[in-house]
Coordinates of all heavy atoms in Angstrom, one line a residue:
M1 N -151.6 -12.7 -199.5 CA -151.7 -11.4 -199.8 C -150.4 -10.8 -200.2 O -149.4 -10.9 -199.4 CB -152.4 -10.6 -198.7 CG -152.7 -9.2 -199.0 SD -153.5 -8.2 -197.7 CE -154.9 -9.2 -197.2
D2 N -150.2 -10.3 -201.4 CA -148.8 -9.7 -201.8 C -148.8 -8.4 -201.2 O -149.7 -7.8 -200.7 CB -148.6 -9.8 -203.3 CG -149.5 -8.9 -204.1 OD1 -149.9 -7.9 -203.5 OD2 -149.7 -9.1 -205.3
A3 N -147.6 -7.7 -201.4 CA -147.3 -6.4 -200.7 C -148.3 -5.3 -201.2 O -148.8 -4.6 -200.3 CB -145.9 -6.0 -201.0
L4 N -148.6 -5.4 -202.5 CA -149.5 -4.3 -203.0 C -150.9 -4.5 -202.5 O -151.5 -3.5 -202.2 CB -149.5 -4.4 -204.6 CG -150.0 -3.2 -205.3 CD1 -149.4 -1.9 -204.9 CD2 -149.9 -3.4 -206.8
E5 N -151.3 -5.7 -202.5 CA -152.7 -6.0 -201.9 C -152.8 -5.5 -200.5 O -153.8 -5.0 -200.0 CB -153.0 -7.4 -202.0 CG -153.3 -8.0 -203.4 CD -153.7 -9.5 -203.4 OE1 -154.5 -9.9 -202.5 OE2 -153.1 -10.2 -204.2
L6 N -151.7 -5.8 -199.7 CA -151.6 -5.5 -198.3 C -151.8 -3.9 -198.2 O -152.5 -3.4 -197.3 CB -150.4 -6.0 -197.7 CG -150.3 -5.7 -196.2 CD1 -151.3 -6.4 -195.4 CD2 -148.8 -6.2 -195.6
L7 N -151.0 -3.2 -199.0 CA -151.0 -1.8 -198.8 C -152.4 -1.2 -199.2 O -153.0 -0.3 -198.6 CB -150.0 -1.1 -199.8 CG -148.5 -1.4 -199.4 CD1 -147.6 -0.9 -200.4 CD2 -148.2 -0.7 -198.0
K8 N -153.1 -1.8 -200.2 CA -154.4 -1.4 -200.7 C -155.4 -1.7 -199.6 O -156.3 -0.9 -199.3 CB -154.8 -2.1 -202.0 CG -154.1 -1.5 -203.2 CD -154.5 -2.2 -204.5 CE -153.8 -1.7 -205.7 NZ -154.2 -2.4 -206.9
H9 N -155.2 -2.8 -198.9 CA -156.1 -3.2 -197.9 C -156.0 -2.2 -196.7 O -157.0 -1.8 -196.1 CB -155.8 -4.6 -197.4 CG -156.5 -5.1 -196.1 ND1 -156.0 -4.9 -194.9 CD2 -157.7 -5.6 -196.0 CE1 -156.9 -5.3 -194.0 NE2 -158.0 -5.7 -194.7
D10 N -154.8 -1.8 -196.4 CA -154.6 -0.8 -195.4 C -155.3 0.5 -195.7 O -155.8 1.2 -194.8 CB -153.0 -0.5 -195.2 CG -152.3 -1.6 -194.5 OD1 -153.0 -2.5 -194.0 OD2 -151.0 -1.5 -194.3
H11 N -155.2 0.9 -196.9 CA -155.9 2.2 -197.4 C -157.3 2.1 -197.2 O -157.9 3.0 -196.6 CB -155.6 2.4 -198.9 CG -154.2 2.9 -199.2 ND1 -153.7 3.1 -200.5 CD2 -153.1 3.1 -198.4 CE1 -152.5 3.4 -200.5 NE2 -152.1 3.4 -199.2
R12 N -157.9 0.9 -197.5 CA -159.4 0.8 -197.3 C -159.7 0.8 -195.8 O -160.7 1.4 -195.4 CB -159.9 -0.5 -197.9 CG -159.9 -0.4 -199.5 CD -160.6 -1.6 -200.1 NE -160.0 -2.8 -199.8 CZ -159.1 -3.5 -200.4 NH1 -158.6 -2.9 -201.5 NH2 -158.6 -4.7 -200.1
M13 N -158.9 0.2 -195.0 CA -159.1 0.1 -193.6 C -159.0 1.6 -193.0 O -159.9 1.9 -192.2 CB -158.1 -0.7 -192.9 CG -158.4 -0.9 -191.4 SD -157.4 -2.0 -190.5 CE -155.8 -1.8 -191.2
V14 N -158.0 2.4 -193.4 CA -157.9 3.7 -192.8 C -159.1 4.6 -193.3 O -159.6 5.4 -192.6 CB -156.6 4.3 -193.2 CG1 -156.5 5.8 -192.8 CG2 -155.5 3.6 -192.4
E15 N -159.6 4.3 -194.6 CA -160.7 5.1 -195.1 C -162.0 4.8 -194.2 O -162.8 5.7 -193.8 CB -161.0 4.8 -196.5 CG -160.0 5.3 -197.5 CD -160.1 4.7 -198.9 OE1 -160.9 3.9 -199.2 OE2 -159.3 5.3 -199.8
Q16 N -162.1 3.5 -193.8 CA -163.2 3.1 -193.0 C -163.1 3.7 -191.6 O -164.1 4.1 -191.0 CB -163.3 1.6 -192.9 CG -164.5 1.1 -192.0 CD -165.8 1.5 -192.6 OE1 -166.1 1.4 -193.7 NE2 -166.6 2.2 -191.7
L17 N -161.8 3.8 -191.1 CA -161.6 4.4 -189.8 C -162.0 5.9 -189.8 O -162.5 6.4 -188.8 CB -160.2 4.2 -189.3 CG -159.8 2.7 -188.9 CD1 -158.3 2.6 -188.7 CD2 -160.6 2.4 -187.6
F18 N -161.7 6.6 -190.9 CA -162.1 8.0 -191.0 C -163.6 8.1 -191.0 O -164.2 9.0 -190.3 CB -161.5 8.6 -192.3 CG -160.1 9.1 -192.1 CD1 -159.1 8.6 -192.8 CD2 -159.8 10.1 -191.1 CE1 -157.8 9.0 -192.7 CE2 -158.4 10.5 -191.0 CZ -157.4 9.9 -191.8
R19 N -164.3 7.2 -191.7 CA -165.8 7.2 -191.6 C -166.3 6.9 -190.2 O -167.2 7.6 -189.7 CB -166.3 6.2 -192.6 CG -166.2 6.6 -194.1 CD -167.0 5.7 -195.0 NE -166.5 4.4 -195.1 CZ -165.6 4.0 -196.0 NH1 -165.0 4.9 -196.9 NH2 -165.1 2.8 -196.1
D20 N -165.6 5.9 -189.5 CA -166.0 5.6 -188.1 C -165.8 6.9 -187.2 O -166.6 7.1 -186.4 CB -165.1 4.4 -187.6 CG -165.5 3.1 -188.3 OD1 -166.5 3.1 -189.0 OD2 -164.7 2.2 -188.1
Y21 N -164.7 7.6 -187.5 CA -164.4 8.8 -186.7 C -165.6 9.8 -186.8 O -166.0 10.3 -185.8 CB -163.1 9.5 -187.1 CG -162.8 10.6 -186.4 CD1 -162.0 10.6 -185.3 CD2 -163.1 11.9 -186.9 CE1 -161.7 11.8 -184.6 CE2 -162.8 13.1 -186.2 CZ -162.0 13.0 -185.0 OH -161.7 14.2 -184.4
H22 N -166.0 10.1 -188.1 CA -167.1 11.0 -188.3 C -168.4 10.6 -187.8 O -169.3 11.3 -187.5 CB -167.2 11.4 -189.8 CG -166.0 12.2 -190.3 ND1 -165.8 13.5 -189.8 CD2 -165.0 11.9 -191.1 CE1 -164.7 14.0 -190.3 NE2 -164.2 13.0 -191.1
A23 N -168.6 9.2 -187.7 CA -169.8 8.7 -187.2 C -169.9 8.5 -185.7 O -170.9 8.0 -185.2 CB -170.2 7.3 -187.9
A24 N -168.8 8.7 -185.1 CA -168.7 8.3 -183.6 C -169.7 9.2 -182.8 O -170.0 10.3 -183.2 CB -167.3 8.7 -183.1
Y25 N -170.2 8.6 -181.8 CA -171.2 9.3 -180.9 C -170.7 10.2 -179.8 O -171.3 11.0 -179.3 CB -172.1 8.2 -180.3 CG -173.0 7.5 -181.2 CD1 -172.8 6.2 -181.6 CD2 -174.1 8.2 -181.8 CE1 -173.6 5.5 -182.5 CE2 -174.9 7.5 -182.7 CZ -174.6 6.2 -183.0 OH -175.4 5.6 -183.9
S26 N -169.4 10.0 -179.5 CA -168.8 10.7 -178.4 C -167.3 11.0 -178.6 O -166.7 10.5 -179.5 CB -168.9 9.9 -177.1 OG -168.1 8.7 -177.2
D27 N -166.9 12.0 -177.8 CA -165.4 12.3 -177.9 C -164.5 11.1 -177.6 O -163.5 10.9 -178.2 CB -165.1 13.5 -177.0 CG -165.6 14.8 -177.4 OD1 -166.0 14.9 -178.7 OD2 -165.7 15.7 -176.7
E28 N -165.0 10.3 -176.7 CA -164.3 9.1 -176.3 C -164.1 8.1 -177.4 O -163.1 7.5 -177.6 CB -164.9 8.5 -175.0 CG -164.1 7.3 -174.5 CD -164.7 6.7 -173.2 OE1 -165.5 7.4 -172.6 OE2 -164.4 5.5 -173.0
Q29 N -165.3 7.9 -178.1 CA -165.2 7.0 -179.3 C -164.3 7.6 -180.4 O -163.5 6.9 -181.0 CB -166.6 6.9 -179.9 CG -167.5 5.8 -179.3 CD -168.7 5.5 -180.0 OE1 -169.3 6.4 -180.7 NE2 -169.2 4.3 -180.0
R30 N -164.4 8.9 -180.6 CA -163.5 9.6 -181.6 C -162.1 9.4 -181.2 O -161.3 9.1 -182.1 CB -163.9 11.1 -181.7 CG -165.0 11.3 -182.8 CD -165.2 12.8 -183.1 NE -165.9 13.4 -182.0 CZ -167.2 13.4 -181.8 NH1 -168.0 12.7 -182.7 NH2 -167.8 13.9 -180.8
R31 N -161.8 9.6 -179.9 CA -160.4 9.5 -179.5 C -159.9 8.0 -179.7 O -158.8 7.9 -180.1 CB -160.3 9.9 -178.0 CG -158.9 10.0 -177.5 CD -158.7 10.5 -176.0 NE -160.0 10.5 -175.2 CZ -160.8 11.6 -175.0 NH1 -160.5 12.7 -175.6 NH2 -161.8 11.4 -174.2
G32 N -160.8 7.0 -179.4 CA -160.3 5.7 -179.7 C -160.1 5.4 -181.2 O -159.1 4.7 -181.5
V33 N -160.9 5.9 -182.0 CA -160.7 5.7 -183.5 C -159.4 6.4 -184.0 O -158.6 5.9 -184.7 CB -162.0 6.3 -184.3 CG1 -161.7 6.2 -185.8 CG2 -163.2 5.3 -183.9
A34 N -159.3 7.7 -183.4 CA -158.1 8.5 -183.7 C -156.8 7.7 -183.4 O -155.8 7.6 -184.1 CB -158.1 9.8 -183.1
E35 N -156.8 7.0 -182.2 CA -155.7 6.3 -181.8 C -155.4 5.1 -182.8 O -154.2 4.7 -183.1 CB -155.8 5.7 -180.4 CG -155.7 6.8 -179.3 CD -156.0 6.4 -178.0 OE1 -156.2 5.2 -177.7 OE2 -156.0 7.3 -177.1
L36 N -156.5 4.5 -183.2 CA -156.3 3.4 -184.2 C -155.8 3.9 -185.5 O -154.9 3.2 -186.2 CB -157.7 2.7 -184.5 CG -158.2 1.7 -183.5 CD1 -159.6 1.3 -183.7 CD2 -157.3 0.5 -183.3
V37 N -156.3 5.1 -186.0 CA -155.7 5.7 -187.3 C -154.3 5.9 -187.1 O -153.5 5.6 -188.0 CB -156.5 7.0 -187.6 CG1 -155.8 7.7 -188.7 CG2 -157.9 6.7 -188.0
V38 N -153.8 6.5 -186.0 CA -152.4 6.8 -185.8 C -151.6 5.5 -185.8 O -150.6 5.4 -186.5 CB -152.1 7.5 -184.5 CG1 -150.7 7.6 -184.2 CG2 -152.8 8.9 -184.6
R39 N -152.1 4.4 -185.2 CA -151.5 3.2 -185.1 C -151.3 2.5 -186.5 O -150.3 2.1 -186.9 CB -152.2 2.3 -184.1 CG -151.7 0.9 -184.0 CD -152.7 0.0 -183.2 NE -152.5 -1.4 -183.4 CZ -151.7 -2.1 -182.5 NH1 -151.1 -1.5 -181.5 NH2 -151.5 -3.4 -182.7
E40 N -152.4 2.5 -187.3 CA -152.4 1.8 -188.6 C -151.6 2.7 -189.6 O -150.9 2.1 -190.4 CB -153.9 1.7 -189.1 CG -154.7 0.6 -188.2 CD -154.0 -0.7 -188.1 OE1 -153.4 -1.2 -189.1 OE2 -154.0 -1.3 -187.0
L41 N -151.7 4.0 -189.5 CA -151.0 4.8 -190.5 C -149.4 4.6 -190.2 O -148.6 4.7 -191.2 CB -151.4 6.2 -190.4 CG -152.7 6.5 -191.1 CD1 -153.0 8.0 -191.0 CD2 -152.7 6.2 -192.6
S42 N -149.1 4.5 -188.9 CA -147.6 4.4 -188.6 C -147.1 3.0 -189.2 O -146.1 3.1 -189.8 CB -147.5 4.4 -187.1 OG -147.9 5.6 -186.6
K43 N -147.9 2.0 -188.9 CA -147.5 0.7 -189.5 C -147.4 0.7 -191.0 O -146.5 0.2 -191.7 CB -148.4 -0.4 -189.0 CG -148.3 -0.6 -187.5 CD -149.0 -1.9 -187.0 CE -150.4 -1.9 -187.3 NZ -151.2 -3.1 -186.7
H44 N -148.4 1.3 -191.6 CA -148.5 1.4 -193.1 C -147.4 2.2 -193.6 O -146.8 1.8 -194.7 CB -149.8 2.1 -193.4 CG -150.1 2.2 -194.9 ND1 -150.5 1.2 -195.7 CD2 -149.9 3.3 -195.7 CE1 -150.6 1.6 -196.9 NE2 -150.2 2.9 -197.0
A45 N -146.9 3.3 -193.0 CA -145.8 4.1 -193.5 C -144.5 3.3 -193.5 O -143.8 3.3 -194.5 CB -145.7 5.3 -192.7
A46 N -144.4 2.4 -192.5 CA -143.2 1.6 -192.5 C -143.3 0.6 -193.6 O -142.2 0.3 -194.2 CB -143.1 0.8 -191.1
L47 N -144.4 0.0 -193.9 CA -144.5 -1.0 -195.0 C -144.2 -0.4 -196.3 O -143.6 -1.0 -197.2 CB -145.9 -1.6 -195.0 CG -146.2 -2.6 -193.8 CD1 -147.6 -3.1 -194.0 CD2 -145.2 -3.7 -193.8
E48 N -144.6 1.0 -196.5 CA -144.4 1.5 -197.8 C -143.0 1.7 -198.1 O -142.6 1.6 -199.2 CB -145.2 2.9 -197.9 CG -146.7 2.7 -198.1 CD -147.4 4.0 -198.3 OE1 -147.0 5.1 -197.8 OE2 -148.4 4.0 -199.1
D49 N -141.8 2.0 -196.7 CA -140.4 2.1 -196.9 C -139.9 0.8 -197.5 O -139.0 0.7 -198.2 CB -139.7 2.3 -195.5 CG -140.0 3.7 -195.0 OD1 -140.6 4.4 -195.8 OD2 -139.7 3.9 -193.8
L50 N -140.6 -0.6 -196.9 CA -140.2 -1.8 -197.5 C -140.6 -2.0 -199.0 O -139.9 -2.7 -199.6 CB -141.0 -2.9 -196.6 CG -140.5 -3.0 -195.2 CD1 -141.4 -4.1 -194.4 CD2 -139.0 -3.4 -195.1
D51 N -141.8 -1.5 -199.2 CA -142.2 -1.6 -200.7 C -141.2 -0.9 -201.6 O -140.9 -1.3 -202.7 CB -143.6 -0.9 -200.8 CG -144.3 -1.2 -202.2 OD1 -144.3 -2.5 -202.5 OD2 -144.7 -0.3 -202.9
E52 N -140.7 0.3 -201.2 CA -139.7 1.0 -201.9 C -138.4 0.2 -202.1 O -137.7 0.2 -203.1 CB -139.4 2.4 -201.3 CG -138.2 3.2 -202.0 CD -138.6 3.7 -203.3 OE1 -139.7 3.6 -203.8 OE2 -137.7 4.2 -204.1
L53 N -138.0 -0.5 -200.9 CA -136.9 -1.3 -201.0 C -137.0 -2.4 -202.0 O -136.0 -2.7 -202.8 CB -136.6 -1.9 -199.6 CG -135.4 -2.8 -199.5 CD1 -134.1 -2.1 -199.8 CD2 -135.3 -3.3 -198.0
G54 N -138.3 -3.1 -202.0 CA -138.4 -4.1 -203.0 C -138.3 -3.6 -204.5 O -137.7 -4.2 -205.3
R55 N -138.8 -2.3 -204.7 CA -138.7 -1.7 -206.0 C -137.2 -1.5 -206.4 O -136.8 -1.9 -207.6 CB -139.4 -0.5 -206.1 CG -139.6 0.1 -207.5 CD -140.3 1.5 -207.5 NE -139.5 2.5 -206.8 CZ -138.4 3.1 -207.3 NH1 -137.9 2.6 -208.4 NH2 -137.7 3.9 -206.5
L56 N -136.4 -1.0 -205.5 CA -135.0 -0.8 -205.7 C -134.3 -2.1 -206.0 O -133.4 -2.2 -206.8 CB -134.4 0.0 -204.5 CG -134.8 1.4 -204.3 CD1 -134.3 2.0 -203.1 CD2 -134.4 2.3 -205.6
L57 N -134.6 -3.2 -205.2 CA -133.9 -4.4 -205.4 C -134.3 -5.0 -206.8 O -133.4 -5.6 -207.5 CB -134.4 -5.4 -204.3 CG -133.8 -5.2 -202.9 CD1 -134.4 -6.1 -201.9 CD2 -132.3 -5.4 -203.0
D58 N -135.5 -4.8 -207.2 CA -136.0 -5.3 -208.5 C -135.2 -4.6 -209.6 O -134.8 -5.2 -210.6 CB -137.5 -5.1 -208.6 CG -138.0 -5.8 -209.9 OD1 -137.6 -7.0 -210.1 OD2 -138.8 -5.2 -210.6
E59 N -135.0 -3.3 -209.5 CA -134.3 -2.5 -210.5 C -132.8 -3.0 -210.5 O -132.2 -3.2 -211.6 CB -134.3 -1.0 -210.2 CG -135.6 -0.4 -210.5 CD -135.6 1.1 -210.2 OE1 -134.5 1.7 -210.0 OE2 -136.7 1.7 -210.1
A60 N -132.2 -3.2 -209.3 CA -130.9 -3.6 -209.3 C -130.6 -5.1 -209.9 O -129.7 -5.3 -210.6 CB -130.3 -3.6 -207.8
K61 N -131.7 -5.9 -209.7 CA -131.6 -7.3 -210.3 C -131.6 -7.3 -211.8 O -131.0 -8.1 -212.4 CB -132.8 -8.1 -209.7 CG -132.7 -9.5 -209.9 CD -133.9 -10.2 -209.2 CE -133.9 -11.6 -209.7 NZ -135.1 -12.3 -209.0
R62 N -132.2 -6.3 -212.3 CA -132.4 -6.2 -213.8 C -131.0 -5.9 -214.5 O -130.8 -6.3 -215.7 CB -133.4 -5.1 -214.2 CG -134.8 -5.5 -214.0 CD -135.7 -4.3 -214.3 NE -136.9 -4.5 -213.5 CZ -138.1 -4.4 -214.0 NH1 -138.3 -4.2 -215.2 NH2 -139.1 -4.5 -213.2
V63 N -130.0 -5.3 -213.7 CA -128.7 -5.0 -214.3 C -127.6 -5.7 -213.6 O -126.5 -5.4 -213.8 CB -128.5 -3.4 -214.3 CG1 -129.5 -2.7 -215.2 CG2 -128.6 -2.9 -212.9
A64 N -127.9 -6.7 -212.9 CA -126.9 -7.5 -212.2 C -126.3 -8.5 -213.1 O -126.9 -9.0 -214.0 CB -127.6 -8.2 -211.0
P65 N -125.1 -9.0 -212.8 CA -124.5 -10.1 -213.5 C -125.4 -11.3 -213.5 O -126.1 -11.5 -212.6 CB -123.2 -10.4 -212.8 CG -122.9 -9.1 -212.1 CD -124.1 -8.5 -211.7
T66 N -125.4 -12.0 -214.6 CA -126.2 -13.3 -214.7 C -125.4 -14.6 -214.5 O -125.9 -15.7 -214.7 CB -126.9 -13.2 -216.1 OG1 -125.9 -13.4 -217.1 CG2 -127.8 -12.1 -216.3
R67 N -124.1 -14.4 -214.2 CA -123.3 -15.6 -214.0 C -122.4 -15.4 -212.8 O -122.1 -14.2 -212.4 CB -122.3 -15.8 -215.2 CG -123.1 -16.1 -216.5 CD -122.2 -16.0 -217.7 NE -122.9 -16.1 -219.0 CZ -122.9 -17.1 -219.8 NH1 -122.1 -18.2 -219.5 NH2 -123.6 -17.2 -220.9
P68 N -121.9 -16.4 -212.2 CA -121.0 -16.2 -211.0 C -119.7 -15.7 -211.4 O -119.2 -16.0 -212.5 CB -120.9 -17.7 -210.4 CG -121.2 -18.6 -211.5 CD -122.2 -17.8 -212.4
H69 N -119.2 -14.8 -210.6 CA -117.8 -14.2 -210.7 C -117.1 -14.4 -209.4 O -117.0 -13.4 -208.6 CB -118.0 -12.8 -211.2 CG -118.6 -12.6 -212.5 ND1 -117.9 -12.7 -213.7 CD2 -119.9 -12.4 -212.8 CE1 -118.8 -12.6 -214.7 NE2 -119.9 -12.4 -214.1
P70 N -116.6 -15.6 -209.2 CA -116.0 -15.8 -207.8 C -114.7 -15.0 -207.5 O -114.4 -14.8 -206.3 CB -115.6 -17.3 -207.8 CG -115.6 -17.7 -209.3 CD -116.6 -16.8 -210.0
H71 N -114.1 -14.5 -208.6 CA -112.8 -13.7 -208.3 C -113.1 -12.2 -208.4 O -112.1 -11.4 -208.2 CB -111.7 -14.2 -209.3 CG -111.5 -15.6 -209.2 ND1 -110.9 -16.2 -208.1 CD2 -111.6 -16.6 -210.1 CE1 -110.7 -17.5 -208.3 NE2 -111.2 -17.7 -209.5
A72 N -114.4 -11.8 -208.5 CA -114.7 -10.4 -208.6 C -114.5 -9.8 -207.2 O -114.7 -10.4 -206.2 CB -116.2 -10.2 -209.1
P73 N -114.2 -8.4 -207.2 CA -114.1 -7.8 -205.8 C -115.4 -7.8 -205.2 O -116.5 -7.8 -205.8 CB -113.6 -6.3 -206.2 CG -113.9 -6.2 -207.7 CD -113.9 -7.6 -208.3
E74 N -115.3 -7.9 -203.8 CA -116.6 -7.9 -203.0 C -116.9 -6.6 -202.3 O -118.0 -6.5 -201.7 CB -116.4 -9.0 -202.0 CG -116.3 -10.4 -202.6 CD -116.2 -11.5 -201.6 OE1 -116.4 -11.3 -200.3 OE2 -116.0 -12.7 -202.0
E75 N -115.9 -5.7 -202.4 CA -116.1 -4.5 -201.6 C -116.0 -3.2 -202.6 O -115.2 -3.2 -203.5 CB -115.0 -4.3 -200.6 CG -114.9 -5.4 -199.5 CD -116.1 -5.4 -198.6 OE1 -116.5 -4.2 -198.3 OE2 -116.5 -6.4 -198.0
P76 N -116.8 -2.2 -202.3 CA -116.7 -0.9 -203.0 C -115.3 -0.4 -202.7 O -114.7 -0.6 -201.7 CB -117.8 0.0 -202.6 CG -118.6 -0.9 -201.6 CD -117.9 -2.1 -201.3
P77 N -114.7 0.4 -203.6 CA -115.2 0.9 -204.9 C -114.9 -0.1 -206.1 O -115.5 0.1 -207.1 CB -114.5 2.2 -205.1 CG -113.1 1.9 -204.5 CD -113.4 1.1 -203.3
A78 N -114.1 -1.1 -205.8 CA -113.8 -2.0 -207.0 C -115.1 -2.7 -207.4 O -115.3 -2.9 -208.6 CB -112.8 -3.0 -206.5
L79 N -115.9 -3.1 -206.4 CA -117.2 -3.8 -206.8 C -118.1 -2.9 -207.6 O -118.7 -3.3 -208.6 CB -117.9 -4.2 -205.5 CG -119.3 -4.8 -205.7 CD1 -119.3 -6.0 -206.5 CD2 -120.0 -5.0 -204.4
T80 N -118.1 -1.6 -207.3 CA -118.9 -0.6 -208.0 C -118.5 -0.6 -209.4 O -119.4 -0.4 -210.3 CB -118.8 0.7 -207.3 OG1 -119.2 0.6 -205.9 CG2 -119.8 1.7 -207.9
L81 N -117.3 -0.7 -209.7 CA -116.7 -0.6 -211.1 C -116.9 -2.0 -211.8 O -117.2 -2.0 -213.0 CB -115.2 -0.2 -211.0 CG -115.0 1.2 -210.5 CD1 -113.5 1.4 -210.4 CD2 -115.6 2.3 -211.4
A82 N -116.6 -3.1 -211.1 CA -116.6 -4.4 -211.7 C -117.9 -4.9 -212.0 O -118.2 -5.6 -213.0 CB -115.9 -5.4 -210.8
A83 N -118.9 -4.6 -211.2 CA -120.3 -5.3 -211.3 C -120.9 -5.0 -212.7 O -121.5 -5.8 -213.4 CB -121.2 -5.0 -210.2
P84 N -121.0 -3.7 -213.1 CA -121.6 -3.3 -214.3 C -120.9 -3.9 -215.6 O -121.4 -4.4 -216.5 CB -121.6 -1.7 -214.5 CG -121.4 -1.3 -213.0 CD -120.6 -2.4 -212.3
L85 N -119.5 -4.0 -215.4 CA -118.7 -4.6 -216.5 C -119.0 -6.0 -216.6 O -119.2 -6.6 -217.8 CB -117.2 -4.3 -216.3 CG -116.8 -2.9 -216.4 CD1 -115.3 -2.8 -216.0 CD2 -117.0 -2.3 -217.8
A86 N -119.1 -6.7 -215.5 CA -119.4 -8.2 -215.4 C -120.8 -8.4 -216.0 O -121.0 -9.4 -216.8 CB -119.2 -8.7 -214.0
A87 N -121.7 -7.5 -215.6 CA -123.1 -7.7 -216.1 C -123.2 -7.5 -217.6 O -123.8 -8.4 -218.2 CB -124.0 -6.7 -215.4
A88 N -122.5 -6.6 -218.1 CA -122.5 -6.4 -219.6 C -121.9 -7.5 -220.3 O -122.4 -8.1 -221.3 CB -121.8 -5.0 -220.0
Y89 N -120.7 -8.0 -219.8 CA -120.0 -9.2 -220.3 C -121.0 -10.4 -220.3 O -121.1 -11.1 -221.3 CB -118.8 -9.4 -219.6 CG -118.0 -10.6 -220.1 CD1 -117.4 -10.6 -221.4 CD2 -117.9 -11.7 -219.2 CE1 -116.7 -11.7 -221.7 CE2 -117.1 -12.8 -219.6 CZ -116.5 -12.8 -220.9 OH -115.8 -13.9 -221.3
D90 N -121.6 -10.6 -219.2 CA -122.5 -11.8 -219.0 C -123.7 -11.7 -220.1 O -124.0 -12.7 -220.6 CB -123.2 -11.8 -217.6 CG -122.2 -12.2 -216.5 OD1 -121.1 -12.7 -216.9 OD2 -122.5 -12.1 -215.4
R91 N -124.2 -10.5 -220.2 CA -125.3 -10.4 -221.1 C -125.0 -10.6 -222.6 O -125.7 -11.1 -223.4 CB -126.1 -9.1 -220.9 CG -126.8 -9.1 -219.5 CD -127.4 -7.8 -219.1 NE -127.6 -7.8 -217.6 CZ -128.6 -8.5 -217.0 NH1 -129.4 -9.3 -217.7 NH2 -128.7 -8.5 -215.7
I92 N -123.8 -10.2 -223.0 CA -123.3 -10.4 -224.3 C -123.1 -11.9 -224.5 O -123.6 -12.5 -225.5 CB -122.0 -9.7 -224.5 CG1 -122.3 -8.2 -224.6 CG2 -121.3 -10.2 -225.8 CD1 -121.0 -7.3 -224.7
R93 N -122.5 -12.6 -223.5 CA -122.3 -14.0 -223.6 C -123.7 -14.7 -223.6 O -123.9 -15.7 -224.4 CB -121.5 -14.6 -222.4 CG -120.1 -14.2 -222.5 CD -119.3 -14.8 -221.3 NE -119.4 -16.3 -221.2 CZ -119.1 -16.9 -220.1 NH1 -118.8 -16.3 -218.9 NH2 -119.1 -18.2 -220.1
D94 N -124.6 -14.3 -222.8 CA -126.0 -14.9 -222.9 C -126.6 -14.8 -224.2 O -127.3 -15.8 -224.8 CB -126.9 -14.2 -221.8 CG -126.5 -14.5 -220.4 OD1 -125.7 -15.4 -220.1 OD2 -127.0 -13.7 -219.5
R95 N -126.5 -13.7 -224.8 CA -127.1 -13.5 -226.2 C -126.4 -14.4 -227.2 O -127.0 -15.0 -228.0 CB -126.9 -12.1 -226.7 CG -128.0 -11.1 -226.1 CD -128.0 -9.9 -226.8 NE -129.0 -9.1 -226.1 CZ -129.3 -7.9 -226.6 NH1 -128.9 -7.4 -227.6 NH2 -130.2 -7.2 -225.8
L96 N -125.0 -14.4 -227.2 CA -124.3 -15.3 -228.1 C -124.6 -16.8 -228.0 O -124.6 -17.5 -228.9 CB -122.8 -15.0 -228.0 CG -122.3 -13.7 -228.5 CD1 -120.8 -13.4 -228.2 CD2 -122.6 -13.4 -229.9
Q97 N -124.8 -17.1 -226.7 CA -125.1 -18.5 -226.4 C -126.6 -18.8 -226.4 O -127.1 -19.9 -226.1 CB -124.5 -18.9 -225.1 CG -123.0 -18.9 -225.1 CD -122.3 -19.2 -223.9 OE1 -123.0 -19.4 -222.8 NE2 -121.0 -19.3 -223.9
R98 N -127.4 -17.8 -226.8 CA -128.9 -17.9 -226.9 C -129.5 -18.4 -225.5 O -130.4 -19.2 -225.5 CB -129.2 -18.8 -228.0 CG -128.8 -18.3 -229.3 CD -129.2 -19.2 -230.4 NE -128.6 -18.8 -231.7 CZ -129.1 -18.0 -232.6 NH1 -130.2 -17.4 -232.4 NH2 -128.3 -17.8 -233.7
R99 N -128.9 -17.9 -224.5 CA -129.5 -18.2 -223.2 C -130.8 -17.4 -222.9 O -130.9 -16.2 -223.5 CB -128.6 -17.9 -222.0 CG -127.5 -18.9 -221.9 CD -126.7 -18.6 -220.7 NE -125.8 -19.8 -220.3 CZ -125.2 -20.0 -219.2 NH1 -125.3 -19.0 -218.3 NH2 -124.5 -20.9 -219.0
P100 N -131.7 -17.9 -222.2 CA -132.9 -17.1 -221.9 C -132.6 -15.8 -221.2 O -131.7 -15.8 -220.3 CB -133.8 -18.0 -221.0 CG -132.9 -19.0 -220.6 CD -131.7 -19.1 -221.4
R101 N -133.4 -14.7 -221.6 CA -133.1 -13.4 -221.0 C -134.2 -13.2 -219.9 O -135.3 -13.5 -220.1 CB -133.3 -12.3 -222.0 CG -132.0 -12.2 -222.9 CD -132.2 -10.9 -223.8 NE -132.1 -11.3 -225.2 CZ -132.3 -10.5 -226.2 NH1 -132.8 -9.3 -225.9 NH2 -132.3 -10.9 -227.4
T102 N -133.7 -12.7 -218.9 CA -134.7 -12.5 -217.7 C -134.6 -11.1 -217.2 O -133.6 -10.4 -217.5 CB -134.5 -13.4 -216.5 OG1 -133.2 -13.3 -216.1 CG2 -134.8 -14.9 -216.9
Ligands
FE2_201 FE1 -150.3 4.5 -198.6

């Protein structure tokens, strides 16, 4: 199950728990279902922070250098300045050498 499927599955499960809450026969049953909803929504919210992280990493990967730069700075602020320049240089070289674009 990929991340998106997992999040959709969680949504369906919580929707079912809300139906269970309304169909409960007693306050004790409703309290038990409510505890499950809180538990599942808490876990789900944490997974959605991870999903955002994955999206940010994917965006960063699209503009990252495509070749190794062993002598490039490793720490900001020099890295912040060097990485986009290296990435632009790499992509120009990739085009001139007809390397596959990803
Ligand atoms: Fe959600």
